[in-house]
């Protein structure tokens, strides 16, 4: 990895600020290679795809509420499982809705620091790993975190998402 001494972009800095406000010593790094997808992030970082935290925004069909699912990079979200937890049908959010509720573009959506509070579900499979990596505001920015910190950081509910 490289470029860690460069000034962060505004989006990455806002995630860094959100992390710092949580009182954890977590450091956003902006890289020269892409971390836009879980596969690209794992390749760039040199970790397993399963250690990548995908931050996926869904939208409830009736009340149009955002839902954040933090999924392991190797897992596909079962929308029926999330619907059962939320109590309302959900669908995948489009790029505009994702941007509107999080303040970030797809490929850079972080697990914290959104424009509004979003009900959050955490894939239990992420807790199999000690170390995880998540997006930090841009398709080139990530941060490393302990899986033990994920729940406290996001106030999410640990569930099976498969
Ligand atoms: N930076 C990496 C993690 S370090 C990242 O953000 N991965 S991600 O999986 O959370 O974000 C990419 C996801 O965005 C894809 O898995 C896909 O679910 C979603 N996505 C991609 N394109 C679109 C689109 N046009 N509309 C809605 N969702 C999309």
């Amino acid at each position: 990895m490289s470029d860690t001494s460069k000034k962060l972009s505004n989006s990455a800095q806002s995630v860094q600020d959100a992390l710092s406000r949580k009182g954890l010593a977590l450091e956003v790094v902006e890289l020269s290679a892409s971390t836009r997808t879980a596969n690209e992030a794992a390749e760039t970082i040199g970790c397993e795809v399963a250690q990548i935290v995908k931050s996926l925004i869904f939208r409830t069909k009736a009340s149009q509420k955002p839902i954040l699912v933090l999924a392991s990079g190797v897992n596909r979200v079962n929308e029926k499982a999330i619907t059962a937890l939320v109590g309302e049908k959900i669908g995948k959010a489009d790029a505009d809705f994702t941007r509107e509720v999080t303040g970030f573009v797809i490929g850079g959506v972080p697990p914290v620091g959104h424009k509004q509070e979003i009900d959050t579900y955490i894939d239990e499979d992420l807790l199999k790993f000690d170390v995880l990596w998540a997006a930090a505001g841009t398709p080139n920015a990530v941060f490393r975190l302990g899986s033990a910190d994920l729940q406290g950081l996001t106030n999410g509910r640990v569930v099976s998402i498969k």
Side-chain angles (χ1 to χ4, degrees), residues 20-66:
S20 301
R21 280 195 300 273
K22 302 270 184 182
L24 291 171
L26 298 171
E27 190 197 2
V28 171
V29 290
E30 225 162 9
L31 305 166
S32 43
S34 173
T35 58
R36 183 182 305 275
T37 66
N39 284 337
E40 286 177 359
E43 173 80 8
T44 296
I45 292 160
C47 69
E48 286 186 46
V49 179
Q51 287 175 278
I52 300 294
V53 180
K54 295 192 285 193
S55 300
L56 304 171
I57 298 291
F58 291 84
R59 167 151 68 170
T60 61
K61 292 237 160 106
S63 59
Q64 311 252 303
K65 212 170 65 118

Side-chain angles (χ1 to χ4, degrees), residues 65-82:
K65 212 170 65 118
I67 299 289
L68 175 64
V69 179
L70 303 178
S72 167
V74 292
N75 285 346
R76 194 183 152 76
V77 176
N78 175 351
E79 293 187 8
K80 285 195 178 138
I82 304 299

Side-chain angles (χ1 to χ4, degrees), residues 47-139:
C47 69
E48 286 186 46
V49 179
Q51 287 175 278
I52 300 294
V53 180
K54 295 192 285 193
S55 300
L56 304 171
I57 298 291
F58 291 84
R59 167 151 68 170
T60 61
K61 292 237 160 106
S63 59
Q64 311 252 303
K65 212 170 65 118
I67 299 289
L68 175 64
V69 179
L70 303 178
S72 167
V74 292
N75 285 346
R76 194 183 152 76
V77 176
N78 175 351
E79 293 187 8
K80 285 195 178 138
I82 304 299
T83 290
L85 292 163
V86 173
E88 194 183 329
K89 279 202 173 160
I90 62 153
K92 202 149 204 190
D94 65 16
D96 286 344
F97 184 74
T98 298
R99 179 82 187 245
E100 185 186 315
V101 298
T102 67
F104 300 98
V105 294
I106 280 172
V109 176
V112 291
H114 309 125
K115 260 187 7 203
Q116 62 182 78
E117 291 252 326
I118 305 178
D119 285 351
T120 301
Y121 295 88
I122 299 169
D123 180 354
E124 61 187 1
D125 285 356
L126 285 169
L127 307 183
K128 292 179 190 164
F129 297 89
D130 288 338
V131 170
L132 302 170
W133 290 84
T138 80

